[in-house]
Amino acid sequence: MQFRVTGLTATALGAGLFAPGMAAAQTLDVSVTIPRLTVAEYHRPYVAMWIEKEGGPAQTLSVWYDVDLKNNEGTKWLRDVRQWWRASGRTMRFPAAGVTGATKAPGTHKVSFKPKLTPGNYTLVVEAAREVGGRELVRIPFSLPKGGTARAAGTSELGAVTLTVKR
């Protein structure tokens, strides 16, 4: 097999790789702890993770909800994840490939994302809401192209939340 690179193709490739304002490829590693609660009626929480850029729209990274209910009925409870729902959830269609997944049991869950982001100040937001339970939101600010690790913790529906930004 032989590939032929023309001047236009080389320019297009170069523009894609070195577009002004684009940050180098970033990986966001997120660790979320869902605490074990001792309550009479426990339901796994619905969890949404998204990033907000100063002055920009929210970008949903992940949504964990009850995907096993018939006729996609689990989506009607997504409104209880209020901040995320207002920010971007109500405009989404479910299930969303690469974004939605099943609810998680108590414990620590690690996920990685490779969003396309420009340099600037961002906030990672993690929100959890539980049927017959509470709702909690944790915010972790970060900047690009800086790397590093930042932490926050909830007090009821969320435990420790850790964000590691890598190139």
Side-chain angles (χ1 to χ4, degrees):
M1 180 178 282
Q2 189 175 36
F3 292 99
R4 185 172 163 189
V5 178
T6 65
L8 181 60
T9 305
T11 302
L13 286 172
L17 294 174
F18 304 107
M22 292 297 293
Q26 303 286 327
T27 300
L28 306 179
D29 293 330
V30 180
S31 171
V32 176
T33 300
I34 297 173
R36 180 170 303 280
L37 303 174
T38 306
V39 294
E41 185 178 347
Y42 180 80
H43 298 274
R44 292 179 177 183
Y46 281 25
V47 175
M49 293 178 232
W50 71 97
I51 51 177
E52 299 172 340
K53 184 175 184 180
E54 286 181 346
Q59 181 179 350
T60 301
L61 298 173
S62 187
V63 180
W64 301 339
Y65 72 100
D66 194 347
V67 295
D68 289 335
L69 292 178
K70 65 180 178 182
N71 299 326
N72 211 14
E73 289 181 10
T75 59
K76 77 178 186 182
W77 305 108
L78 287 171
R79 294 182 184 119
D80 290 345
V81 189
R82 294 182 200 147
Q83 294 295 314
W84 165 77
W85 184 257
R86 290 184 196 128
S88 68
R90 62 182 163 199
T91 61
M92 293 180 65
R93 291 179 172 239
F94 298 96
V99 174
T100 55
T103 57
K104 309 291 185 208
T108 300
H109 305 278
K110 297 180 180 184
V111 288
S112 290
F113 307 100
K114 292 189 180 220
K116 294 180 179 177
L117 303 173
T118 57
N121 296 320
Y122 292 87
T123 302
L124 169 73
V125 186
V126 179
E127 183 177 17
R130 193 168 48 83
E131 183 180 350
V132 195
R135 187 180 70 80
E136 187 164 37
L137 184 124
V138 171
R139 294 179 174 273
I140 300 177
F142 66 99
S143 297
L144 291 178
K146 296 178 189 172
T149 299
R151 294 176 176 82
T155 58
S156 58
E157 301 298 327
L158 289 170
V161 178
T162 304
L163 168 66
T164 301
V165 179
K166 296 188 274 185
R167 287 185 169 211

